Every structure is written in C-alpha cells, then in structure tokens.
Amino acid sequence: MNISLKYGFLGLGMGGTSIAHACAGMRLSAKNTQRPYTAILINSNEMDLLKLPDYPNVKKITLPGYERGVGRDIQLGQEAFTVHKTAITETIQSYFSDRDYVFICCGLGGGTGTGAVIEAIRLLHTVGFAGRFGLLLTLPRRNEGRKVLDNALQRLQVIKRAMQGLGAIVVVDNEKLFQTGLHQNQSVEDFMKSCNRHVARLLHDLNTVTASYKPYGSYHFDASEWLNMLKTGGCLHIAKCVLPAQAVDLASPVTYMEAMKQSVLSGELSAGYDLEDATSSAVSIVADSSAAKRLFTHAFVEQIQSFLHECTPILDENPVATYVGDQPGLVTIYTVFAGLNFPNGVTKLTDELAELERKVDERSQKTDAIAEVLAGFKSLVKKETVDLEALLSEEESAPAPQKTVSDDPFDFLNHLE
Ligand SMILES: Nc1nc2c(ncn2[C@@H]2O[C@H](COP(=O)(O)OP(=O)(O)OP(=O)(O)O)[C@@H](O)[C@H]2O)c(=O)[nH]1
Ligand SMILES: [Mg+2]
C-alpha cells in the first residue's frame, strides 16, 4: 500500500487536536503498520492534550500561561497562539519539512482552536506552505448554544472572504454525523472518537486509491491531480459508496447509479452543497479483478460521466478513473467535488443563532411578573402588629425614620418596612 501525498495535520484546540491525532494514528494498511502522516497538536488545555496517546509521529505543543484553557474566548485563543508563535513556527518548519500538504484541523466554536485558526493560516502561508495547505473544520451541532455558534460564525465569515486564496476546505458537519450516530447507541465521547476515525480513514483511503491500485483502462487519476484538487480554493465534497459486485448489473444502470447519486447527496462528512459551483470533480472506482473485467466497460464509465455532467454542467472534464483493488466482491465509488461554496449547514447555524438571539430579546422585554406581585405583597404578620399597636397605643404613631444615602448596594435591607 502506498500513499499519494505526505500529509501533515496541524490540530488546534480539543476538536482539532483530536481529529489530527486520529489522522496521525492511521496505519498504512492492515499488513504494513507504519504510520504515514505526522501531526502537531496545539492546545491551551494541557489535560486535554495529555489525554491523547503519544506517538512518535505526533508532536504536542502546550501554550504556557493559558494551560487551564481559554473558556470559549476567541480573543484569548488567538492571543495564546500569537504569544507562542515563534516556538510554533520552529516546530512547523522542522516537523513538517517533508510534508506535501498540511491540513489545519479545528473544531469551530471553541476558544482555542477557533481563536487560533486565522493566525495559523497566516503562519502556514508565510513559512513555505502557501498553496499547499487546506482546512479541516467541524461545524458545531445546532444545540451547542449561542457562544459556540457565534464563535464559529465569526470565523466562517472571515474564512469565506479569504476562501478563494486558500486550499481545500473539508467541512465535517457534526450535526449530520451525530444524526447518523444517534442510531448507534454510543456515548458522546465514543461518538466523537468514531467520527474522527471516520474522517481519518476517508482521507487516507482517498490518498491511497491514486497510489496503490492498478489503473484499469485508459484514464488514471494521479497524485498530482489529487494535489491540484486539494490546492483548489473552496470546499471539497467527498462521497463514497460501496456495493456488492454481484448486485451491479451492467444492463440495468439503476443497480449502481441510484446508490452513487444517493452517496453524492448525503456526502461522507457534510451535505447540502450546490454542486454547480464546483470547479473540478473526479470519480475513482475500485473493484476486484474479476468485477473490474466485467464492469469497467465504456457504457459503465459513460453512465457515471453523464451523471457528473448533470451535476456540474459547466465543467469541461468529468474524469472517471477505474482501478483494480484488493477487496474481493466489492465495488467502491469515490466522488469528489472541489471549489464549492460552504454547505447549507452554515445557513442553518445562522438561522439557529438568529432564533436564539430573538428568544434572548424576548426574554429581556418580558415584564417581571414575579417582581410585580412581590412589590404588591404586604405581610400579614406586620399588619397584625401594626393593628395591635394602633389598638394599644393612644399616642400618634412615630414618624418614619429618615433614609440615609449609603454606598452599600444592600443598604435597603436596613430600611425594610
Ligand atoms: N468532530 C469532532 N468535533 C469535536 C470534537 N471535539 C470537539 N468538537 C467540536 O469542536 C467545537 C469546539 O470545541 P473544542 O475543540 O473543545 O474547543 P477548543 O478549541 O478546545 O476551545 P476552548 O476549550 O474554548 O479553549 C465543539 O463545539 C464541537 O462541536 C471531536 O473530537 N470531534
Ligand atoms: Mg478546549
């Protein structure tokens, strides 16, 4: 098994370091246990960083002075990164010196990763990775609260403006992955871990298809073309479907086209893209040798090409590459679109935040009914004493004591009547 590109993963904050760590944990194959990727993990919270097992291909960077975390404060997160920029730069230069491409990984919504991400982009751009790095960003779930949504949207706003000048952006929509994970009865922590492994496995698979399998037929999608897609500004949408080879009937295209269309619609990591925005697309199909002989005909490839053309009518090329792989009885179809706008999950986040803001507004305008009834409340106990005093005393009641002005905000407690 070979890889096309040597990736480096720069993880920021807990989500970012967890994903980068999962990617660095990938083994080349079941037989070759070498770990082909490297990761630099940066987090303010040292406990979170310590929890991730040490591997020789992983370098951890703590941010002294901010070791207890930055508590969702993106200004502080940015500051923590900037203060340690020199040490971070040196580590990146030595640790990533042989890397073909670097992914900056960040769980959007927190303080550390989200705060640091723009500075990290600036840094990679200036230390020799201009045009050779991309972003791996998670979108928060809709129910993560105002602060998280606000942090994520602030950064998405900046990234959107810079999008065309950056490399590929791989969006991991946590809400989408959670909805699929919901049926699997996992704890949130286990779910996050399996999410991260899923991301890592997918990136690794795509990186091995182009380098490990024997091309079948005339067209071959090679490492340089894959690198070009990763260098393309905008979002990268990845779809995958696996079919039992015997279920694929060449005479009846629905037996494979339906599954493939569905995989593009639902995506592996996020969905809701306008595919017409794509600036390039590619399909790689892997089948075992007997399935390859039977399936990889002109008609089969043409079916897939025409589907790509329907999705992205303005593209000149709809490349479909076919390979002979080592998984018996299976046909795997990977479809990738580059140069896309953000998925509609981003719109849903802004809607969710607007709705939360509206509720906060509503709350601040609500009359405080409890305060009103309490203000109108008169104690019976007091009334009884007052009545009793009035009955027993013939003298006129004494005038109320003069209220004095005090600095004590609780001074009113001394004058309760
Ligand atoms: N997919 C995935 N998402 C994660 C994971 N951990 C956190 N997230 C997401 O990332 C967002 C940001 O959280 P963290 O990464 O913990 O935040 P941080 O950057 O460490 O920032 P602070 O803790 O505020 O300093 C969360 O709101 C989650 O949506 C993870 O392991 N996998
Ligand atoms: Mg954290």
Side-chain angles (χ1 to χ4, degrees), residues 12-19 42-45 48 68-74 77 106-115 138-141 144 148 151 172-174 177 188-189 191-193 195-196 199:
L12 308 171
M14 187 171 82
T17 52
S18 305
I19 293 176
I42 305 177
N43 200 355
S44 55
N45 188 312
D48 289 341
R68 282 189 293 179
V70 302
R72 304 256 174 263
D73 182 337
I74 53 175
C106 168
L108 286 180
T112 307
T114 311
T138 73
L139 295 183
R141 296 196 45 220
E144 289 198 69
V148 167
N151 282 348
V172 178
D173 187 345
N174 279 349
L177 295 186
V188 174
E189 197 176 332
F191 161 70
M192 284 295 188
K193 275 189 193 153
C195 251
N196 301 343
V199 174

Side-chain angles (χ1 to χ4, degrees), residues 222-266:
D222 65 20
S224 67
E225 280 157 304
W226 177 226
L227 183 60
N228 279 340
M229 278 194 114
L230 288 176
K231 284 177 167 181
T232 305
C235 291
L236 188 80
H237 178 47
I238 305 169
K240 175 185 174 186
C241 80
V242 185
L243 295 165
Q246 90 261 21
V248 181
D249 180 359
L250 269 190
S252 164
V254 286
T255 58
Y256 53 95
M257 287 313 298
E258 282 310 302
M260 187 198 167
K261 285 179 189 174
Q262 190 51 48
S263 76
V264 168
L265 211 61
S266 42

Side-chain angles (χ1 to χ4, degrees), residues 386-398:
V386 173
D387 290 349
L388 204 61
E389 273 169 11
L391 275 178
L392 296 177
S393 154
E394 281 165 16
E395 290 166 33
E396 274 186 40
S397 51

